[in-house]
Structure formats: C-alpha cells, structure tokens
Amino acid sequence: MTTHDEQRRIWNEEHAKPHVLLQMDSGEASGGVVKFMDFLAGRNLPRMSGLEMGCGKGRNVIWLALHGVEAHGFDFAETAIAEGRKRATDAGLNGKEIFSVADATARWPYADASFDFGVDCFASTDIESPEGRRFAISEMLRVLKPGGHLMSYLLSMDDEFQKEMIEQSPAGERGAFTHPTGKWEKSFTADEIKELYQGFELVIQERMAKTSEFNGKKYASNHFWTVFRKP
C-alpha cells in the first residue's frame, strides 16, 4: 500500500519531470472544468470565487482566473505549485496569491463559507485512503458558501486503462490500483460517489467519453462528471 508521504514524493517527481501523466503537464483547462463553467454561467462569468483541490500545476485555476473568477488552488506537491505560480505570473496573474501548498487530507487554509464553487478534478481519485477522501470532501463542504456548487470529475470502473491496471496491480480497495511508478489511484462506481459526497445535494451526473493517453498508448475513458450543491 502506497503511504501518503510516498504519494506526495511520487507526485513531486512526476510534476518535476512528467513522463507518465503528460496531460497533467498541459496548460489547457480540463474539459470537465470548462463544461462546469458553462453549466454555471456560460463563458461570460460573473465575479465568482472558486477553489480547486489538488490543482497540480494550475491549468484549471489559471484558466478560471483569466475568465474573471477569483480563483485559488492548492496541492501537496511543492514542485507543482512552484510551476503553477510561474505559469500564473507569466499569464499576468499573481501566482503567489492564487496558489498554496497544502494537503487535502489536513485542514485547509481557508475560512468557512469562502467560495462560490469548488473543483475536484481527479483529486479524490489520488487520495489513497477512504478516511482521507472523506475528510477532503468535508473540508470542501466547509469552505463553500451555502448554495455553492462543487464539480467532481472522477475515474470510472469502465475506463480501459484503469480496468487494465486493476487487473495487473490491484491495491486492496475496490477499484484501486498501483501505477508502475508506485502512485496509488482509484476509480469509482456511481454508488461510491454518492456515498463520498453525501453532505451535498446531487444536481446532475453525466458520463464523459474521451480518449486518454498513458505511456504512449491511447485508451477509451468514460469518466463521471458530477455537479453537487451545498445545502
């Protein structure tokens, strides 16, 4: 079982020298986040505040900020945040203000009811314990304003690469596996998603078909795209 410290080390190495998850090095916003913004308000966004947990190098946060959102993001990988701050500064934003180094499984450095919306773009997928995932989602619930929305974009049990890896390298928990790099990852069922985000009201859940690339090979994916609302 990959420990939390090992997970952090592996992610720091991957962000420093991307070689497995090349899409995480992209400067383009995730299609799931763009779809979420269209769901909320279209591209001409009002002045909203948003937070992404496990933001990596900040591709989504920077895109949101450039579209008028008071956007913030955090990640436990210092190398990712350092690069995110640089990319934000290059885009004319205040990288130090936007990004923070923080761990989703420890209390977040934000006040209660601070944000209009939140983004969980495959972040829960990489938290290696049920307790850690539950805590992270409870923190998201805490920092969102009443009526605020959360977009969850998660791997599914139908994704080809994940199915292959679960067979080759299962990691104890249902739907979980270990990458060749040692990184832990989990795919979900609809029932598991409902249980994890049980403090939220479900607004809409769809499946997003796409092609993902791992180690130079393309795989069909059918991710969960879900929008929740804080009561």
Side-chain angles (χ1 to χ4, degrees):
M1 174 69 179
T2 304
T3 68
H4 197 60
D5 285 342
E6 288 170 338
Q7 190 85 329
R8 189 198 317 269
R9 174 186 59 76
I10 292 164
W11 270 114
N12 267 308
E13 292 174 354
E14 176 66 25
H15 281 297
K17 295 182 179 180
H19 65 287
V20 177
L21 302 170
L22 297 182
Q23 62 268 39
M24 296 298 99
D25 193 46
S26 171
E28 297 183 5
S30 165
V33 172
V34 175
K35 181 180 174 70
F36 180 45
M37 290 300 100
D38 287 342
F39 171 85
L40 287 180
R43 296 301 180 85
N44 296 317
L45 301 177
R47 189 64 180 175
M48 292 189 294
S49 57
L51 174 68
E52 182 175 10
M53 61 182 277
C55 66
K57 293 183 172 76
R59 58 180 182 147
N60 297 320
V61 177
I62 292 171
W63 182 86
L64 289 167
L66 292 174
H67 282 78
V69 173
E70 184 184 330
H72 295 269
F74 70 90
D75 200 286
F76 70 168
E78 296 90 345
T79 57
I81 293 301
E83 178 62 20
R85 287 172 173 167
K86 179 181 180 300
R87 292 183 183 188
T89 300
D90 290 345
L93 304 168
N94 187 332
K96 290 186 177 180
E97 181 178 292
I98 289 175
F99 293 111
S100 299
V101 177
D103 190 327
T105 66
R107 186 174 173 84
W108 297 3
Y110 309 102
D112 296 359
S114 296
F115 299 97
D116 295 306
F117 68 85
V119 172
D120 178 1
C121 188
F122 301 113
S124 290
T125 284
D126 292 309
I127 297 176
E128 73 289 341
S129 72
E131 298 79 15
R133 293 193 292 273
R134 285 194 295 267
F135 181 84
I137 299 308
S138 72
E139 281 293 274
M140 182 65 81
L141 188 66
R142 179 182 67 80
V143 303
L144 288 185
K145 299 175 183 178
H149 288 84
L150 166 64
M151 184 217 78
S152 169
Y153 201 17
L154 295 171
L155 303 175
S156 82
M157 299 282 284
D158 300 321
D159 296 345
E160 284 186 346
F161 176 74
Q162 280 67 36
K163 288 172 68 175
E164 181 178 296
M165 291 305 301
I166 290 168
E167 291 181 4
Q168 293 179 6
S169 186
E173 189 178 347
R174 181 188 183 192
F177 65 92
T178 305
H179 276 269
T181 61
K183 185 178 83 68
W184 189 96
E185 191 166 285
K186 175 173 171 56
S187 53
F188 292 82
T189 66
D191 285 344
E192 288 175 330
I193 293 172
K194 182 179 179 180
E195 180 180 359
L196 178 59
Y197 300 89
Q198 60 184 292
F200 289 89
E201 297 173 350
L202 176 63
V203 178
I204 185 172
Q205 185 172 90
E206 298 180 1
R207 304 298 290 273
M208 290 186 66
K210 59 180 289 187
T211 300
S212 302
E213 185 171 327
F214 298 94
N215 297 317
K217 183 178 177 181
K218 294 184 178 180
Y219 297 85
S221 300
N222 194 24
H223 302 324
F224 283 104
W225 181 85
T226 307
V227 176
F228 298 95
R229 180 181 178 275
K230 178 177 176 176

